[in-house]
Every structure is written in C-alpha cells, then in structure tokens.
Amino acid sequence: MTRQDSSTLSTQPDTSGQVPGITAEPSLSRTIRPRVSAPPYLLGLLAVYLIAVCTPFGQRAENAVLKGSSARPALIYDWSGAAYKSSALPPLGDTALPTLVAGVAVIVAVTLLRRCWWQGCAAIGVAVVTFGGTEVLKQILPRPDLIHAPVWFTEGSLPSGHVAIAAGLALGAILVASPRIRPHVTAVGMLWLAVSAAAVQAIHHHRPSDVLGATLLACACYSLAERLLPPATAPGITQRPRALPAIALVLPAAGALVAGARSDSATQSLVYAAAAFLCAVLLWYTAGGPAHTARRIRPTLG
C-alpha cells in the first residue's frame, strides 16, 4: 500500500459509531424473567379459597386468628372507621367507594396529562374490574360451615373489597406513571396496600385469605391488561435507585406490623402483618419486580 493510499484511508470518517479497541455493548442490561400471566394468579385465588374456606383445617386456622370479636384492641381502631364518629383512612370504612372514585379520577387526569390513552384505559379497567370482581365472587363463592362455627364466623367475606380498591388503584397508578417515577409509585402502592390489608384483619372485618384473594385478583387483572396493551405502550424495563428495593420492602413490612397490631394477641398481630406483607410482595413482584428494572453498564475494552 502506498503512502497516498494510507493517508486517504486515515482521513476517511469512521461511520461505524464505535471507538477503536472498545467492544460495543447495549447501554442497558435487561434482567429477564418470564412474566406471570393472569391464569396463575387466578389459580392461586382458587387455591386460597379451596384451602382456607372449603377445608375444616383452613376454617379452624382462620377462625383461630379471629378469636375476640371486638375491634377495639386493634392499634388502628381509631383510624379504621369502626370507631364511633371516627375518620377512616382510605379505603377503610365508608371511604371505600369515595376512594375508588377519587382514584379513578386521578388516573383519568394523569392519562389526559401524559396522553397515554391505552395505559389509562387499562388502568381504569384494572381498578374497576378488580373491585367489581370481588363483589361478584363474594356472591358466588359459598362458605360452607364445616366445623359448626359460631354464626359470626360463617359469613362469606372472600375477597376483600377494601383491599381490592387499594390493590387495583395502586396497580392502575403504576400503569399510567412515567418510567422515571414508576418505581416510587410502586413503593407507595405497596405501603398503602400493606396498611389496608393489615388493618381490615386487625379490626376483624376480614380474614387473611380475604386479603390475599383480593390481591391475587388485582394482580391477575394487571397481568391481563399488560398483555393486552400494544407492545409500544406496555410498561417496559425501567431504572430505579439501588436503595429503592430495600426501602420498598421495609416500609410495607413496618406498615403491616403497625396496622395489624392488636393489644390482646401478639400471634394474631404477626399473622395479620405477614398476610398483609405478602400482599405487598405480590404487588411488587407483579408490577415492580426484577423484570421491570435495568442497570447501566460500561463498554468493555476489546
């Protein structure tokens, strides 16, 4: 090769967009995990119903953590709506339907602001169908009296409508949130769900199976909505601060312990808190778990 040829080659621009000696790699490293579809969540709901409601063992276990019909020993009693002339924390007590309406209105406002029409419709559907589904299931899922329990233990209450509102609105908000703030919305939704699920158990309005059933139904609705969204609008992998996963799990755990605490039984308090925290973990796994995170990596030298 002549000197002129080598000079000509050296002056030609590099159109490959790569720096010599460096191997190009994607700027984002995806954490790949198979998405859980709606059927497994629905099967989980069915399993909870069959084990907790349709077996003598399940009924005895749940009745054992409901001993003592009074709601007063609950630490959150004054904020549960059960106390006379008390102000209930949404969505507890009589604030359930107003909370649902207000939450849907917020989702609509965010949809209009961000112009995310598909996500907005899916979010509203998740919130409304979750709550409507709980009301339907309460009517069609019988609670047989297998152990001759007192009459106040035989009323059907699965799934919990109050928990369904919290879970449905939280997952709906995640759908319409921007990728930048979606992890934070997930963390707040987990805390709200954990407190709500623990509170309705502590005041003996619902059993652990009720709150788990409502959360599984909400997760099923979210998974179905996410799969039905066009690929370009479905929630993708987003970045989040490294400390957020720990905070997102610690706060619901603390909230569940406080909201589920009763002064008359430490065992009941721990059971309620554990069931509520499991609800928060289900929400995190469905909408904010490893499949929705990403980390930056640097190019490597070739």
Side-chain angles (χ1 to χ4, degrees):
M1 181 181 295
T2 64
R3 179 178 299 180
Q4 181 179 0
D5 293 335
S6 61
S7 175
T8 302
L9 290 175
S10 63
T11 57
Q12 289 179 348
D14 183 6
T15 58
S16 64
Q18 301 179 4
V19 179
I22 296 180
T23 302
E25 292 185 2
S27 60
L28 289 178
S29 175
R30 291 173 178 259
T31 303
I32 299 175
R33 163 177 66 80
R35 295 283 180 86
V36 180
S37 57
Y41 287 119
L42 295 177
L43 289 176
L45 171 58
L46 179 61
V48 169
Y49 169 72
L50 293 177
I51 295 173
V53 179
C54 298
T55 65
F57 169 79
Q59 289 193 3
R60 287 192 182 95
E62 290 205 307
N63 289 351
V65 296
L66 287 179
K67 288 182 179 179
S69 59
S70 176
R72 292 184 179 277
L75 185 63
I76 202 170
Y77 174 74
D78 291 336
W79 298 93
S80 65
Y84 181 67
K85 291 185 178 181
S86 64
S87 299
L89 292 173
L92 305 178
D94 294 334
T95 66
L97 288 180
T99 300
L100 178 62
V101 173
V104 170
V106 171
I107 291 175
V108 171
V110 174
T111 301
L112 295 175
L113 182 65
R114 296 193 61 230
R115 300 175 182 265
C116 52
W117 315 119
W118 286 106
Q119 295 97 320
C121 292
I124 295 172
V126 168
V128 174
V129 173
T130 298
F131 177 72
T134 60
E135 298 304 306
V136 172
L137 289 177
K138 283 181 183 179
Q139 304 300 321
I140 65 176
L141 294 180
R143 183 176 182 85
D145 184 9
L146 303 177
I147 57 175
H148 305 291
V151 64
W152 55 85
F153 283 155
T154 60
E155 182 181 358
S157 57
L158 188 151
S160 167
H162 294 87
V163 174
I165 291 176
L169 287 177
L171 290 169
I174 292 169
L175 276 172
V176 297
S178 65
R180 183 180 297 273
I181 69 169
R182 187 175 297 135
H184 304 280
V185 174
T186 302
V188 173
M190 290 171 60
L191 176 60
W192 187 33
L193 176 59
V195 171
S196 301
V200 295
Q201 295 177 86
I203 60 177
H204 288 175
H205 283 185
H206 283 286
R207 305 170 176 88
S209 61
D210 300 340
V211 300
L212 290 173
T215 304
L216 287 167
L217 179 60
C219 292
C221 292
Y222 177 91
S223 298
L224 179 60
E226 189 180 34
R227 285 186 176 273
L228 292 178
L229 282 173
T233 61
I237 294 180
T238 57
Q239 298 177 14
R240 67 183 177 190
R242 291 182 179 180
L244 189 58
I247 296 175
L249 293 174
V250 170
L251 288 180
L257 285 172
V258 173
R262 286 179 62 93
S263 60
D264 58 347
S265 175
T267 301
Q268 290 184 18
S269 303
L270 291 176
V271 171
Y272 301 153
F277 179 67
L278 181 55
C279 292
V281 171
L282 282 170
L283 187 148
W284 173 78
Y285 183 81
T286 303
H292 295 267
T293 64
R295 58 183 177 86
R296 293 280 181 183
I297 62 173
R298 295 180 179 179
T300 59
L301 294 178

